[in-house]
Amino acid sequence: MTAVTVYNVIKALPQEEMPKLYKLLGINITTEAQPLKTVKKTKPIADTVAEEFLRANVFRSKKVK
């Protein structure tokens, strides 16, 4: 028996048989499905703040030693 054959048999199982299959395989359904993490979105910075940052950090004159 190949993995493709097993996959096709499992896909053909009715939904009420899936919990039984998981139990036989030793898979706990409740621990497999984890809730999605929410991503905290940052607020975009204003143009003036971005310009000030660039002037202060990128376009500043280089110090000569």
Side-chain angles (χ1 to χ4, degrees):
M1 184 178 291
T2 65
V4 174
T5 306
V6 173
Y7 175 78
N8 290 330
V9 170
I10 291 172
K11 291 298 282 184
L13 282 176
Q15 288 296 327
E16 60 269 2
E17 290 294 319
M18 294 304 283
K20 295 176 186 177
L21 174 67
Y22 290 143
K23 185 176 179 182
L24 289 172
L25 293 174
I27 300 172
N28 190 356
I29 299 171
T30 57
T31 58
E32 292 295 322
Q34 297 177 354
L36 297 176
K37 294 181 181 178
T38 57
V39 177
K40 187 175 182 180
K41 295 183 179 179
T42 58
K43 294 180 182 178
I45 60 173
D47 288 341
T48 55
V49 176
E51 288 175 6
E52 290 173 5
F53 175 81
L54 290 173
R55 284 188 191 118
N57 296 303
V58 178
F59 297 113
R60 65 178 171 198
S61 60
K62 296 180 182 179
K63 295 181 180 179
V64 179
K65 291 184 178 181

